[in-house]
Amino acid sequence: QVQLVESGGGLVQAGGSLRLSCTVSGRIFSINAMAWYGQAPGKQREYVAGITSGGDTNYAGSVKGRFTISRADARNTVYLEMNSLKPEDTAVYYCSADLRRSSSSPVARYWGQGTQVTVSS
């Protein structure tokens, strides 16, 4: 069974920083793209940042220049460095991984359980 476990969320003042981590465990053949999404209270889950297996990155306009996504393939882990945090960044952050469980299985997207980030003004 594949599991994605996030950590690093918490309460921080505006202007502060947090680093989120997400580690994939279980039977995995390969991991393609990995990404972070945020879901604010009463809103839909939105894309925040993504990184391909080759290291190419993409960001939502609202976080560009403040957040940095990276990955450590040896640890099956993706990170989200969050700087200059704003109250509007408050959300539950979910990581996703597009992966194959075996050489013959199709790519499927898996999700973590989410970690709360709260930014106070």
Side-chain angles (χ1 to χ4, degrees):
Q1 186 173 354
V2 175
Q3 283 190 318
L4 279 67
V5 178
E6 297 110 334
S7 61
L11 173 63
V12 64
Q13 287 188 332
S17 299
L18 284 174
R19 188 191 196 209
L20 306 184
S21 300
C22 172
T23 298
V24 184
S25 64
R27 183 187 174 202
I28 302 163
F29 175 74
S30 64
I31 302 176
N32 294 359
M34 304 180 82
W36 288 93
Y37 290 74
Q39 187 165 18
K43 295 188 177 181
Q44 290 188 332
R45 191 175 299 185
E46 294 183 340
Y47 176 87
V48 173
I51 185 167
T52 68
S53 56
D56 294 327
T57 59
N58 189 50
Y59 298 92
S62 60
V63 307
K64 197 171 291 185
R66 299 189 297 122
F67 292 8
T68 301
I69 188 171
S70 61
R71 61 192 286 171
D73 289 336
R75 302 191 192 100
N76 288 342
T77 299
V78 63
Y79 304 98
L80 186 68
E81 188 76 34
M82 311 167 76
N83 297 315
S84 301
L85 282 161
K86 304 175 181 180
E88 51 264 43
D89 295 320
T90 295
V92 177
Y93 284 79
Y94 299 89
C95 69
S96 70
D98 297 342
L99 60 88
R100 294 179 187 273
R101 299 194 64 189
S102 71
S103 59
S104 60
S105 62
V107 175
R109 178 162 294 175
Y110 291 79
W111 293 91
Q113 81 289 350
T115 186
Q116 177 71 46
V117 171
T118 303
V119 184
S120 63
S121 58

